[in-house]
Every structure is written in structure tokens, then in C-alpha cells.
Amino acid sequence: LYNDAVAMTGGQQVGERPEGHSVVQIAQSMRAEGAVKITIVTDEPEKYDGVKGLPEGISIQHRDLLDAVQREFREIKGTTVIIYDQTCATEKRRRRKRGTLVDPARRVVINELVCEGCGDCGVQSNCLSVEPLETEFGRKRTINQSSCNKDYSCVKGFCPSFITVEGGQLRKKDKKGAAQDWTGGALPVPVLPVLGSEAWGVIVAGVGGTGVITIGQLLGVAAHLEGKGIVTQDAAGLAQKGGATWSHVLIGAQQDDIRTTRVSAASADLILGCDPIVSANKETWARLRAGRTHVALNVSATPTAAFVKNPDWQNPAQACVDALVNNLGAESVGAFDAETAATRLMGDSLYTNPMMLGYAWQKGWLPLELASLMRAIELNAVQVDKNKAAFEWGRRAAHNPQAVATLWQKAGAGEQVIQFKKRESLDDLIARRVEFLTGYQNSAYAAEYQQFVARVRVAEAPLGKTTLSEAVVRNLFKLMAYKDEYEVARLHSDPAFHARLASQFEGDFKLKVHLAPPLIAKKNERGELVKQPFGPFMFTAFKWLARFKGLRGTALDIFGRTEERRTERALIGEYRADVEALLAQLAATNLDLAVEIARIPEHIKGFGHVKERNLAAARTRREGLLTQWRQPAGLSVLAKAA
């Protein structure tokens, strides 16, 4: 694996070091040591055009063919070598910021209404910038534009929800306008801690690649400028995998007051919690002491690597916040959504950490002067004005959190098509879906849905519950609103979606959509359809195609003849029959099992081969639960206990 940079020591380029090996040198060494076959796999095969020094017979392949190369190599006797050449994504981001690497004017966005939440984009890319988005219609995916490394492998996920924005740029946030709208009043100068004979222990806890170590260094420089004693020690995590990262900072009135290189157990005076999961990690937890430790906490957590493997992963951020409050007391924990504030007010979540620094300082939890902290930011010489502004927003959040929240809510107005509400009545859930299905097909189709769920509500009413009704409301809708070609066209041509894009991007840009139309798409070696990009003309075609939704399911529906579409229509009838069977025997003793059966469609996610795979698993689950349902009550209880 050749990522062209030395990790954790400054990102030096390997090939430029005298003792370092370039890819060409590695290939020469491998050939000299007897490798029978060598292939270079890379995301940029074109960079090897005309390269001199490669041993004869070495093949250059695109990374998309890595699986095929491995399958070929496993059949070859002898030592074979695959050299995977791809520049470290973190280094790419740094070099782009420094202007030493071209920053492609191309970004990826997801139309969350089209997204099925299957997670195939995360599987294909293994990227944590593909984040969960909770919506009224379930968990979807969104791209974190602040952390996106522009690798674009997420687009390979078998899903038509991906749009690439070619040209233009992210729309700049009007931070000056937001500052002018500030109504929270003048900021008082806090009473700062006075250092005694014991060092002041600070732990900056966050996620690799977000600037945790930088915050530790800013604190060190500021303390040095004031003539104080200072020791910092960093524990760096994996930047691309959301690895936990800590920076231990010890500040003393003089250098001799510092006797360790890390904050000792139960000795932290301040936890600068840039991520709640890392802040509640056992490594951080061991440094806490009630009555001594204060925590300045960003309540928005970065999804961990577990989300890539498990699409249903639940973010434990709130549990982490609650645990810290229970341990230290509410008065010792200052928490606010710094990531949302940074994104909405500064235009980039990477300003979360300096915002947290300003928050902690305004709370009076840092023994450093404002002037020295500002000078440290200046000496760092990276986005000085923006980092100072983020620090100021953090101060404002500490002084008047409601005023800051009002401004970021105003700044984020219209950013999402779907406004997720945690608490809605059953009538609201039904009304929203009836409205959607009317647009999906027509009022008669929506009425059919409404009448069926009404029957379920009547049957469940004697039990005094609505859990089964809610399950049917959500899952029958999911099946009836299956995303065929007409629906994908309707959602991609929705004016609300294009208004959101216009609010997110500016400049001269064009849109491309990535699709695998079953009637014309090519297939890979596994027999799976392969997506290809379609230019702006496709959005005009979408507008026309959406108008023909009335053909859905009729003899004139050319798209409805595929196996996938026939299966989707059959699932609606199958689900209704299952629910009818549940209602015939519904009782308080089997309600929970009935709800489980009614929720089976939640597991049928995705498109094409991804959906087919998930459907097979859902059918197996359905058969098992229905078998349990048909058992006599006594046997069912025994089976469940077993």
C-alpha cells in the first residue's frame, strides 16, 4: 500500500526522500526478488503514462479492477505483488488547502428522497463523510461537504440518488451578516482561573483529522507567550476512520510546576470535548473528577467506523452527554451543538474545534489571556480571520446560547427538503404519507392506502395501542411508494430539491446524475448493472418522464415488465395479506410479534442487486416470524424463551 506520505510525522512525501522508495523503485525491488507477476493498481492510471524505469511486463490497472486483479492473482503459483498506489486522502485535503494540489471543482450530493438508506455507498467507499441523515421517511444518507476528500467512490453505491455538481463552489456563508444580526449583547470578560502550585490539566478530545492536535498546540503557544510552563503530549488517531484523538495540555505558573507529560488520573481541570463519544471514552473518563473537572462539550458526534459496517448503527452521542452530566453534575458540563453552529455560521464544520475553544474560555475554564490565544491563532497562520471568528462565536454561545441557536437556525433555513420531527401524532404521519402518495400516483392510490391503515387502527383500538398501526403506516407506505423510473424522475425534478442545491452551491455549475437504467446499462463480471453518468439533459428528460407516472403498472409501462418492478408490486399485496392475517388473531398477548412482522419491509432497502439481497434476508425473517405466529400461544412463549 503506497499512500505517498509518512503518517503522523508531518506527511512528508515518501518518493521525495533520499532513503524512500517510489512506486517504480518498489516494483524494481519486487522483480529483483523474484515476484512472478506485479500489477500496479491506482486511482490515477494516467499518471503512469510515459513513466520510465518500470520493469517489463508490469500492468497498470484502475482501482475499480482491484477485485478482478486479486481473483486473477490467487490462481497464480509463486509470489505475486499488487502495489496499490493512492495518495493519502488527508494529505490530499491538506495539499489542496495549501494550493499545492489541484482541488477538483466537483462535489457529490445525495437526494435524500431518492435514497433508500441501504448503505451500499458506505460499503463501496468505506468513507465516514457519508453520514446518516434521520428523516420523516427513515434513515437516509448525506455527504459531509466539510470532511469530504473528493474520492468519489461513494458514487459507485448502487443507487440513483447521487448527483455530482461539476464546477462552481460551495456557497459562502454570510458570516458578517450573521454577526450583524447578533442580539445577544456585549460579551463580558470572564474571571480566569489563577494557577497555583499544581499544573492546570486540559484534555482536547476529538476525532482524527479535525484539528484536535492543532488546538493543543494553540494552547501551548499561548501559554508560552505568557511565560507560563507548558507540556503537551498528543495521542493521534486515524484521521480517515474517525479514530479517537487526544491532546494532553499541562499549564503551570512556571515550568517546574509540571511533573508529568500527560494529565494524570482524576486530574483534568478541563475536557475540551470536540466529540461526545471520545469525551466519554474510558481514556478520557479516567481523568474526570467531580468537583474539579469541567467539560466544554460539542453534542454533535461524528459517526464512527461502525456505521460503515452497520447501516442501522445508533449514534450514542446523547447517552455520552447524559453520562458526563450524571458523573460531574450539570453545572460542570457546558454543552451545545458546535458542529451545527460552525456549519451554518462559518460554512464549514472544521471550525467546530476553535469554536469550542472560545466557548471554554468564555466559561472561565482556561487560565490563558484572550490576547495570547489570538496571537497563537495568528502565529499558526492558517485561516486566521475565520478561526478568530469561530472563537468569537464560541464565546457568544457560552454567553447567550439561545441567541446563537436562533441565528444558526435562521442560517440553515431551507437546507433540507425534509424537516425531521421526532414527535408526530399518528394522524400527522398518515396525512403526510397520503399527500406524498397523491403526488406519487394519484388521489385514488393514496385513498387506497388511507383506507387500509384505517382498518388496522380500528382493529388495534380495543387494545389501547397504536404501535401496530404506526408500523403499518410506515411500512405499507414504503412498499407502495417503491422507487421506479417514474418516481426517481419525479424526485430528481422536484423544484424543492433544485432550490436546495441552489442554496448550497454558487457559480457556474452543471449537474450530472449517476444511473444504471435496467434496459441499457452494462453489467460487470458478477452480472450486476453498472452505473454511468448522465449530463444535464437527463434532468429535462426527468421532467417529461415524471409526467408519465400514470402508466405505472399498466400494459403500457415498459419499465414495469422487469423482474424487480413485478416483485415490488407483488410485495404490496403480500404485505396486505400478512397484515390481514395478523388482524384476524390480534390480541394483547401477540401484539409485539405482530408489530415485528409488520416492520419487516424496513429491511428491504436499496435498488437492483442490493435490494434483491436484502429482500432475500427479509423473506427468511418473515417466514420465521410467521411460523412463530401460527404456533399455539403456549408453544410460542416457549420458543421465544428458548
Side-chain angles (χ1 to χ4, degrees):
L1 299 177
Y2 184 90
N3 71 359
D4 134 338
V6 182
M8 297 186 181
T9 62
Q12 301 90 342
Q13 288 185 259
V14 178
E16 295 180 357
R17 296 168 63 88
E19 70 278 17
H21 260 33
S22 67
V23 172
V24 172
Q25 290 172 319
I26 293 172
Q28 292 171 339
S29 297
M30 294 300 97
R31 176 56 57 83
E33 293 181 29
V36 297
K37 188 169 181 61
I38 304 169
T39 292
I40 297 172
V41 178
T42 175
D43 60 332
E44 300 176 286
E46 64 277 3
K47 71 182 181 183
Y48 285 93
D49 293 344
V51 170
K52 298 180 180 180
L54 280 174
E56 185 178 349
I58 287 186
S59 173
I60 311 295
Q61 299 290 348
H62 194 278
R63 68 177 182 185
D64 290 351
L65 300 176
L66 175 61
D67 184 68
V69 172
Q70 292 180 99
R71 291 174 184 275
E72 175 194 352
F73 274 34
R74 73 182 182 186
E75 304 299 330
I76 300 174
K77 292 184 178 180
T79 301
T80 56
V81 177
I82 299 172
I83 305 174
Y84 190 101
D85 173 18
Q86 182 172 320
T87 302
C88 169
T90 298
E91 285 305 315
K92 277 188 174 182
R93 190 169 64 212
R94 289 171 181 159
R95 293 171 192 174
R96 286 166 183 162
K97 286 184 177 181
R98 295 167 183 167
T100 60
L101 186 68
V102 174
D103 188 3
R106 182 183 181 216
R107 288 187 175 270
V108 179
V109 294
I110 295 175
N111 186 339
E112 62 266 23
L113 281 172
V114 178
C115 172
E116 282 276 287
C118 68
D120 191 49
C121 50
V123 172
Q124 298 298 325
S125 64
N126 206 32
C127 178
L128 287 178
S129 291
V130 182
E131 297 184 346
L133 176 66
E134 306 299 341
T135 79
E136 161 63 14
F137 300 131
R139 173 176 284 185
K140 306 302 185 77
R141 297 296 184 275
T142 187
I143 303 296
N144 185 329
Q145 299 296 342
S146 296
S147 62
C148 177
N149 289 304
K150 298 186 177 181
D151 178 74
Y152 308 121
S153 54
C154 58
V155 176
K156 298 174 188 173
F158 196 76
C159 168
S161 67
F162 282 83
I163 305 290
T164 49
V165 182
E166 316 270 344
Q169 60 188 356
L170 287 171
R171 187 174 292 279
K172 297 178 181 178
K173 299 296 180 181
D174 184 13
K175 63 179 184 296
K176 292 183 180 178
Q180 291 167 358
D181 290 339
W182 172 251
T183 58
L187 299 177
V189 177
V191 177
L192 302 179
V194 177
L195 294 174
S197 59
E198 189 176 357
W200 190 268
V202 180
I203 296 179
V204 188
V207 172
T210 63
V212 171
I213 306 303
T214 299
I215 296 297
Q217 294 306 306
L218 289 177
L219 292 172
V221 171
H224 177 71
L225 291 172
E226 294 182 21
K228 292 182 169 69
I230 180 69
V231 166
T232 65
Q233 188 181 88
D234 305 322
L238 298 173
Q240 294 311 115
K241 301 300 172 194
T245 300
W246 295 270
S247 183
H248 288 247
V249 181
L250 291 157
I251 304 171
Q254 52 189 3
Q255 194 65 39
D256 290 343
D257 291 337
I258 305 175
R259 300 177 180 86
T260 63
T261 58
R262 289 164 61 90
V263 177
S264 303
S267 297
D269 295 286
L270 170 65
I271 305 296
L272 198 61
C274 303
D275 181 272
I277 299 177
V278 182
S279 299
N281 182 286
K282 63 180 181 180
E283 172 72 17
T284 315
W285 197 269
R287 271 73 183 172
L288 305 179
R289 188 201 304 178
R292 173 172 181 167
T293 307
H294 290 88
V295 180
L297 187 64
N298 167 36
V299 300
S300 181
T302 300
T304 68
F307 178 60
V308 175
K309 302 296 182 184
N310 177 16
D312 297 320
W313 173 83
Q314 296 299 314
N315 196 323
Q318 187 57 52
C320 294
V321 175
D322 293 342
L324 289 167
V325 171
N326 291 336
N327 184 23
L328 301 174
E331 70 284 351
S332 296
V333 179
F336 85 111
D337 192 346
E339 183 169 335
T340 298
T343 303
R344 298 277 180 84
L345 300 172
M346 301 291 300
D348 197 326
S349 65
L350 291 178
Y351 294 108
T352 299
N353 295 0
M355 193 174 285
M356 290 306 306
L357 181 61
Y359 183 92
W361 185 85
Q362 186 64 32
K363 286 285 189 180
W365 296 340
L366 273 171
L368 297 170
E369 299 292 337
L370 178 62
S372 59
L373 287 166
M374 293 299 100
R375 181 58 180 154
I377 291 174
E378 291 169 359
L379 292 172
N380 190 48
V382 177
Q383 300 291 342
V384 172
D385 291 340
K386 289 185 177 180
N387 280 306
K388 284 185 175 181
F391 186 95
E392 188 72 5
W393 278 115
R395 292 186 62 193
R396 289 169 174 164
H399 174 61
N400 192 331
Q402 187 55 51
V404 172
T406 299
L407 286 177
W408 87 51
Q409 289 164 5
K410 177 182 176 183
E415 282 192 359
Q416 289 188 4
V417 174
I418 304 172
Q419 295 298 320
F420 176 58
K421 298 179 180 179
K422 292 186 177 180
R423 296 180 181 177
E424 278 192 316
S425 69
L426 187 57
D427 287 332
D428 289 337
L429 294 176
I430 295 171
R432 189 187 295 270
R433 285 158 177 75
V434 167
E435 179 185 5
F436 192 99
L437 289 173
T438 301
Y440 176 88
Q441 185 74 2
N442 52 42
S443 57
Y445 192 69
E448 186 181 337
Y449 164 82
Q450 191 172 19
Q451 291 164 7
F452 189 88
V453 297
R455 290 167 56 194
V456 178
R457 293 184 73 177
V458 170
E460 189 182 19
L463 303 180
K465 300 283 187 178
T466 60
T467 50
L468 178 61
S469 298
E470 183 173 334
V472 174
V473 164
R474 295 183 184 277
N475 288 278
L476 178 58
F477 166 79
K478 175 180 171 62
L479 294 177
M480 291 183 69
Y482 64 89
K483 296 183 177 72
D484 57 8
E485 287 76 3
Y486 306 109
E487 178 63 356
V488 170
R490 185 179 77 92
L491 297 177
H492 274 323
S493 57
D494 186 352
F497 173 63
H498 288 271
R500 182 165 70 88
L501 290 177
S503 71
Q504 194 174 6
F505 298 93
E506 62 183 0
D508 184 17
F509 63 85
K510 62 180 180 180
L511 305 178
K512 287 186 178 180
V513 62
H514 299 258
L515 307 169
L519 301 180
I520 63 172
K522 297 179 180 179
K523 294 185 177 181
N524 60 20
E525 65 277 4
R526 294 186 295 274
E528 301 166 348
L529 296 176
V530 178
K531 291 165 63 177
Q532 56 184 308
F534 294 86
F537 75 92
M538 183 56 73
F539 290 91
T540 301
F542 281 153
K543 292 179 181 179
W544 284 99
L545 181 57
R547 297 176 182 178
F548 289 93
K549 64 183 182 181
L551 299 179
R552 180 183 286 123
T554 70
L556 298 177
D557 181 8
I558 60 172
F559 304 113
R561 300 169 188 171
T562 64
E563 181 65 27
E564 183 176 357
R565 300 291 169 257
R566 291 199 299 268
T567 299
E568 287 167 336
R569 292 195 297 272
L571 282 172
I572 299 171
E574 181 181 284
Y575 182 76
R576 286 176 173 172
D578 285 348
V579 174
E580 293 277 13
L582 298 178
L583 297 181
Q585 303 178 42
L586 190 63
T589 54
N590 60 20
L591 178 61
D592 290 344
L593 179 57
V595 172
E596 273 195 80
I597 295 171
R599 293 180 60 183
I600 287 173
E602 291 179 0
H603 305 281
I604 307 174
K605 302 176 181 178
F607 296 82
H609 58 273
V610 176
K611 187 170 189 174
E612 184 178 348
R613 185 168 59 244
N614 288 331
L615 175 59
R619 286 196 184 283
T620 300
R621 177 177 175 80
R622 170 180 175 268
E623 289 305 316
L625 290 175
L626 287 178
T627 298
Q628 187 177 340
W629 176 266
R630 297 183 189 110
Q631 291 177 349
L635 291 176
S636 180
V637 171
L638 290 174
K640 192 171 184 180

